Amino acid sequence: MYMQLGFIGTGYVGLVTGVMCAHIGHQVVCLDKDGRKIEKLKMGDCIIYENNLAEYMNQQITKGNIVFSSDYQDLQACDVVFICVGTPSDENGGADLGFVKEALLQCAQHLPDSCLFVIKSTVPPTSCQNFQKFLQDKGFSHKIASNPEFLREGSAVDDFLNGARIVAGGDLHSINIIRNIYNPLIDRGVEFLGVDTTTSEMIKYSSNSFLAIKLSFINEMCDLCEELGADISLLAKGLGLDKRIGSLFLNPGPGYGGSCFPKDTKALSHIAKIHNIASHVLDAAIDSNLARYKLMRNKIRNIIKTPCIITALGVAFKAGTDDIRESPALKILQLLADDGYFIQIYDPVAGKDPANLGISRVKICDNIENASKDSNGLIILTEWQEFSGIEYEEIGKFMSQKRLIDLRLIADHSRAKNAGFDVYRVGAKEKL
Ligand code: UGA
């Protein structure tokens, strides 16, 4: 049975979930206080870069299953409203919940008591309980539930349709409402887990934190492999074959980034500290990741010793997205620019406006050839598929010195070597 659903916030989480809920049969209103975004969305402009999302969105606009608005009055008929606004880090590393509270208050003022408010924004454990009290103190009796999102940028549409699980936190009635919303997915075999709100919030934070810990671990193993003459790719394969460990999230690289892992790990550590609970493992993973940017810069400086022109391939925090928030690539490039290197950047979709990069001494190029002109080394920072097929024979002709530094283990290194490149790969046995 279809429901009327509202989504507050047309950022990454709200837009993807709103569009996909329309796709599985619901009537959706997406609301954002930024009127310019809403105007674009109404015109069918998908405002974020996400695989297949624009197609799904335009299909649902045409069918009349999704509308966009800046006016809370337009949510009047909603059975459920999902809060999908940002929860940025505050100055202590905690999550700033101001936008969530503002959205809840607006919803409470405009919508009947029967409307269920579901928190999709990532909020610290016990937040839903506190939000419930916050509304009660203001005289409202709407129920609040939790339904964290587990979508990855770049594959969010697929993750929505074929996710590992759907988690709902709340009382039995709220859990059943959320289950009904996702029924088409549950029927396809997606696991559904109903829990209390605090456990639901904890599942979200610990999932991202566990993955971040896994990454910091594999990155440290990568450095050790390099030192000892072992091979990280084979090590990751050997580790991942153990089902208890699993083969995913074992690709070493320049460190984790994006709008989620750095923020959520810090927030969970902050909560543990407030409650006097040790978070040694998590803190070590955070420190290890922060140290990684400098470590990568030092490796690059050891190979390309004097400041000169270098080529950065990729600035997105990972492939498949135009998102540069907390991008390890940018952190490393910033350090290199400060050291005096001049950086020629090419990324297939991200960082087209140099003003947004926050780095001096850069030039944005529209292809690999242009980014390689007079360069003293190619550095692969994001694992775009395009970078696995570089024509080194051609590219080498434009360069001052033929060097390749692969921080993502995606390059065809044999081809690069055959074309006369000195090759450095993180965690690989062979040295330059
Ligand atoms: C992450 C989680 O994977 C999602 O489940 C979650 O919903 C989302 O955060 C969120 O909280 O909103 P996302 O930030 O899109 O998703 O990116 P990931 O694919 O998880 O990658 C995070 C970082 O880890 C990237 O910098 C990526 O390059 C790095 N990574 C990932 C590696 O270095 N190696 C790997 O093997 C995997």
Side-chain angles (χ1 to χ4, degrees), residues 214-233:
K214 197 172 181 187
L215 290 176
S216 282
F217 179 79
I218 198 68
N219 282 337
E220 288 189 353
M221 291 306 103
C222 176
D223 298 338
L224 197 52
C225 277
E226 206 173 301
E227 191 56 34
L228 299 177
D231 187 315
I232 188 64
S233 302

Side-chain angles (χ1 to χ4, degrees), residues 149-153 204 208 211 215 249-251 255-257 260-261 264 317-318 383 408:
E149 61 91 18
F150 300 104
L151 309 174
R152 285 165 304 167
E153 291 190 25
K204 168 67 192 183
N208 275 1
L211 291 170
L215 290 176
F249 263 71
L250 285 179
N251 296 326
Y256 60 75
C260 305
F261 284 6
D264 295 351
F317 83 95
K318 65 171 186 177
E383 74 282 25
R408 290 284 192 170

Side-chain angles (χ1 to χ4, degrees), residues 119-327:
I119 309 294
K120 216 170 215 325
S121 305
T122 300
V123 294
T126 70
S127 293
C128 282
Q129 286 175 8
N130 299 336
F131 295 147
Q132 192 74 70
K133 186 157 182 323
F134 166 74
L135 285 190
Q136 269 161 8
D137 288 348
K138 300 216 170 324
F140 298 108
S141 55
H142 303 76
K143 269 194 196 162
I144 295 185
S146 159
N147 172 223
E149 61 91 18
F150 300 104
L151 309 174
R152 285 165 304 167
E153 291 190 25
S155 53
V157 167
D158 191 52
D159 284 348
F160 180 92
L161 294 171
N162 306 300
R165 76 301 211 190
I166 294 161
V167 174
D171 62 11
L172 207 55
H173 181 66
S174 309
I175 290 174
N176 280 335
I177 293 176
I178 297 174
R179 190 200 310 266
N180 284 340
I181 295 173
Y182 292 111
N183 246 342
L185 303 178
I186 298 166
D187 286 349
R188 292 166 54 134
V190 179
E191 289 281 348
F192 181 87
L193 185 64
V195 294
D196 60 275
T197 55
T198 303
T199 303
S200 170
E201 293 159 339
M202 274 296 283
I203 291 173
K204 168 67 192 183
Y205 270 103
S206 46
S207 297
N208 275 1
S209 296
F210 190 86
L211 291 170
I213 290 166
K214 197 172 181 187
L215 290 176
S216 282
F217 179 79
I218 198 68
N219 282 337
E220 288 189 353
M221 291 306 103
C222 176
D223 298 338
L224 197 52
C225 277
E226 206 173 301
E227 191 56 34
L228 299 177
D231 187 315
I232 188 64
S233 302
L234 296 173
L235 178 138
K237 188 164 186 196
L239 260 182
L241 283 172
D242 185 330
K243 286 200 174 65
R244 294 169 302 174
I245 298 174
S247 60
L248 301 176
F249 263 71
L250 285 179
N251 296 326
Y256 60 75
S259 63
C260 305
F261 284 6
K263 173 172 75 74
D264 295 351
T265 45
K266 265 194 274 171
L268 189 56
S269 162
H270 178 71
I271 296 156
K273 281 185 186 62
I274 290 174
H275 292 274
N276 259 329
I277 300 293
S279 57
H280 300 307
V281 176
L282 180 58
D283 292 346
I286 295 170
D287 290 346
S288 168
N289 197 58
L290 287 175
R292 195 139 194 92
Y293 310 135
K294 226 180 206 170
L295 192 77
M296 293 295 116
R297 177 272 228 123
N298 292 346
K299 280 184 193 296
I300 294 166
R301 285 204 62 164
N302 278 339
I303 296 164
I304 308 173
K305 291 199 166 59
T306 27
C308 54
I309 300 176
I310 52 176
T311 304
L313 297 179
V315 285
F317 83 95
K318 65 171 186 177
T321 176
D322 61 352
D323 198 340
I324 55 171
R325 285 176 290 175
E326 296 292 318
S327 168

Side-chain angles (χ1 to χ4, degrees), residues 359-429:
I359 308 178
S360 54
R361 305 179 59 75
V362 292
K363 182 171 135 199
I364 310 293
C365 304
D366 51 9
N367 55 46
I368 302 178
E369 288 81 17
N370 288 341
S372 310
K373 285 210 178 97
D374 304 321
S375 169
N376 295 275
L378 305 178
I379 307 164
I380 299 181
L381 293 139
T382 308
E383 74 282 25
W384 288 106
Q385 199 51 43
E386 183 179 344
F387 302 153
S388 62
I390 296 176
E391 294 178 353
Y392 294 98
E393 310 77 12
E394 279 307 301
I395 297 295
K397 290 180 194 158
F398 305 112
M399 298 178 65
S400 290
Q401 280 178 297
K402 294 200 266 184
R403 296 181 180 122
L404 171 68
I405 301 177
D406 183 6
L407 303 186
R408 290 284 192 170
L409 296 184
I410 184 155
D412 181 347
H413 57 100
S414 316
R415 183 167 179 182
K417 269 192 191 139
N418 289 341
F421 276 71
D422 287 333
V423 179
Y424 163 83
R425 297 187 297 147
V426 283
K429 259 197 265 186

Side-chain angles (χ1 to χ4, degrees), residues 6-19:
F7 290 82
I8 314 292
T10 57
Y12 184 76
V13 175
L15 189 59
V16 173
T17 319
V19 167

